[in-house]
Amino acid sequence: MNADVLRAAYEAFAVVVRPLGDEESWRPTGCAGWAVRDLVFHCAGDAQRALVALHTPAAGPPDRDAVTYWRDWAPDPAGAANGRRWNRVSASMFLDFRQLRDLYLETTAATVNAAADARPDLRVATQGRVLKAGDLMLTLAVEATVHHLDLVTDLPEAVGPSPAGLAAVRATLDGLLGRPVPLDWSDEHYARAATGRTPLTDRERLVLGADADRFPLFS
C-alpha cells in the first residue's frame, strides 16, 4: 500500500533526525545553501501540507498522478534562492533545535496516521492540483527519500533511506524518463543524478543519448 511506503520513508528520515542536537543541525546537506535544520524545517512543512491535503477533498477529476506531479517541478534558480532564504530565516527562529526536531517528528507521525486512514482513491487538492490520495502519498515518499539523501550528506554514521522509498523514487524517475534508465545506477545515484544533485559524466550522457538533455528530470 502507498501509505506503507510513506510510513517507511518518514520513519527512516525520523531515525536520522531523532538523535540530532543543535551542533549537528548546522551541518551542510545535499541541498545547496541548506543546513540540516533548514532541510528539517522544509520537510516538516511538506508533512504539514500533506495533512491539509488529506483533509481537503477535491470536486474535480485528478489532473496529476504520482509521476506527472513532478513535471511542475523543473529547475528554477530564482525560486530555489528564495526558498533557501525563507527556510534559513524560518528555521533559525527555533532557538533550540530540539523544538524543530519535535515538530518534525510529531507532524510526520500525524501525517502517517492520516494517510493510513485515507482511501487511496480519494481525490485531494494540493498546490493547485488534484491527485488521488494514494498518488499524493507516493509523491510525499519520493520527496522525503530524496531529501533523506540530502540530509545524510555530512552525517556519515546515519542510516540511509528506506528501500521502499528508494523503489518509489526509481519508479517515478523511470516514469518521467519514459523507460527504465539504461545505466547500471544504484537507486541512490539515480536519485541524485536525475534531480541535478550529481552531474552526468560524458559516458552517461553518451548512453542516455538525447534523454541526457532532459536531466534533471525534476529538482
Side-chain angles (χ1 to χ4, degrees), residues 179 181-185 201-212:
R179 57 172 175 154
V181 69
L183 288 155
D184 187 21
W185 281 343
T201 66
D202 290 342
R203 176 189 170 275
E204 289 167 345
R205 286 190 167 277
L206 182 63
V207 174
L208 286 167
D211 282 335

Side-chain angles (χ1 to χ4, degrees), residues 57-132:
D63 58 4
R64 290 290 185 273
D65 60 26
V67 173
T68 59
Y69 167 84
W70 295 104
R71 291 178 181 164
D72 293 330
W73 300 101
D76 177 9
N82 290 336
R84 283 193 295 270
R85 187 176 300 107
W86 190 83
N87 274 279
R88 169 54 57 88
V89 171
S90 300
S92 296
M93 296 302 291
F94 292 83
L95 300 183
D96 186 335
F97 176 70
R98 290 175 297 182
Q99 297 171 316
L100 175 54
R101 178 196 65 194
D102 292 347
L103 174 65
Y104 171 82
L105 295 173
E106 291 169 359
T107 306
T108 52
T111 302
V112 165
N113 289 334
D117 291 339
R119 298 193 328 269
D121 63 345
L122 174 70
R123 291 172 295 183
V124 298
T126 186
Q127 295 175 321
R129 296 296 185 183
V130 176
L131 296 85
K132 292 182 179 179

Side-chain angles (χ1 to χ4, degrees), residues 121-174:
D121 63 345
L122 174 70
R123 291 172 295 183
V124 298
T126 186
Q127 295 175 321
R129 296 296 185 183
V130 176
L131 296 85
K132 292 182 179 179
D135 286 332
L136 172 69
M137 295 172 204
L138 286 180
T139 68
L140 297 166
V142 166
E143 177 148 6
T145 300
V146 172
H147 281 323
H148 191 137
L149 294 172
D150 294 327
L151 179 67
V152 300
T153 297
D154 198 48
L155 299 171
E157 303 302 318
V159 299
S162 70
L166 287 169
V169 174
R170 180 175 286 273
T172 297
L173 295 173
D174 282 348

